[in-house]
Amino acid sequence: MPKNKFQEVFFTVIMATVMVYGMVVYNVALGMGGVTNQTFIAALHELPIMVPIAFGLELFVVGKIAAGLAFKVVRPTDRSQIITYAISICICCIMCPTMSLIAMFLFKDTHSLGMWVQTWALNFPVAILYQLLYCGPFVRIIFRAIFREKTEITDSEFIEEDETIHISCSTEIAPE
């Protein structure tokens, strides 16, 4: 979808922010024993830390690796939606364990292999479903709305269309 580096950076900022916020809300809810209004506010406190980490990882490391992995399974000639899903799944397969490890060190009291595996195991199914069913489509809708491709109409096309309308109108209105 992004056509240049600026659009790629913009898309990654939106995706990282929406994805991280959703996953932080989930993890805060796990820590609080459920979801309350306070859960959404508490999740905001981790965003300034986790969004830049996710953004940097995605833009400079994970995106390239994930695309390479995805194209071992899909072909460039496959439907674009299938390619998007394959890349999204590969990104989750790399980002989820990585971000779970980082979050464990930053926000958990216990730092162990077991805690990391548990965090990763709890996050992975949610991350995949959130990415494929909610976050991914939502961010792509926002991105397409902002970077809508404009179709240029030449003067001759405008005149032809205008003449067609004019001819249609005069034929319909003309008395017999």
Side-chain angles (χ1 to χ4, degrees), residues 19-62:
M19 190 70 189
V20 166
Y21 183 68
M23 292 306 297
V24 170
V25 166
Y26 170 68
N27 280 281
V28 169
L30 286 177
M32 294 174 75
V35 179
T36 65
N37 291 338
Q38 186 61 32
T39 307
F40 297 98
I41 295 166
L44 291 172
H45 297 336
E46 292 183 24
L47 284 185
I49 300 165
M50 297 304 283
V51 169
I53 293 170
F55 171 79
L57 280 171
E58 165 60 29
L59 190 65
F60 299 114
V61 180
V62 175

Side-chain angles (χ1 to χ4, degrees), residues 116-168:
W116 174 55
V117 171
Q118 177 182 334
T119 304
W120 176 11
L122 289 170
N123 285 334
F124 188 72
V126 173
I128 287 281
L129 291 174
Y130 181 54
Q131 173 57 234
L132 293 177
L133 300 177
Y134 298 100
C135 180
F138 176 67
V139 170
R140 283 189 284 281
I141 287 169
I142 291 171
F143 183 83
R144 286 185 186 123
I146 293 169
F147 293 101
R148 192 173 312 153
E149 288 190 27
K150 296 171 182 70
T151 54
E152 292 183 24
I153 300 175
T154 63
D155 290 337
S156 62
E157 289 172 333
F158 180 75
I159 291 168
E160 287 173 16
E161 185 178 277
D162 188 44
E163 286 174 359
T164 306
I165 293 169
H166 178 67
I167 292 168
S168 297

Side-chain angles (χ1 to χ4, degrees), residues 47-145:
L47 284 185
I49 300 165
M50 297 304 283
V51 169
I53 293 170
F55 171 79
L57 280 171
E58 165 60 29
L59 190 65
F60 299 114
V61 180
V62 175
K64 292 168 184 58
I65 295 169
L69 290 172
F71 282 110
K72 291 186 184 300
V73 178
V74 297
R75 295 179 307 273
T77 56
D78 287 340
R79 290 180 47 211
S80 63
Q81 192 170 18
I82 299 300
I83 293 169
T84 299
Y85 290 152
I87 293 171
S88 295
I89 289 168
C90 289
I91 288 171
C92 281
C93 287
I94 299 167
M95 288 294 284
C96 189
T98 306
M99 293 299 288
S100 294
L101 181 67
I102 292 166
M104 178 194 70
F105 281 116
L106 292 175
F107 304 110
K108 302 255 184 190
D109 294 331
T110 306
H111 304 145
S112 67
L113 177 64
M115 180 56 71
W116 174 55
V117 171
Q118 177 182 334
T119 304
W120 176 11
L122 289 170
N123 285 334
F124 188 72
V126 173
I128 287 281
L129 291 174
Y130 181 54
Q131 173 57 234
L132 293 177
L133 300 177
Y134 298 100
C135 180
F138 176 67
V139 170
R140 283 189 284 281
I141 287 169
I142 291 171
F143 183 83
R144 286 185 186 123

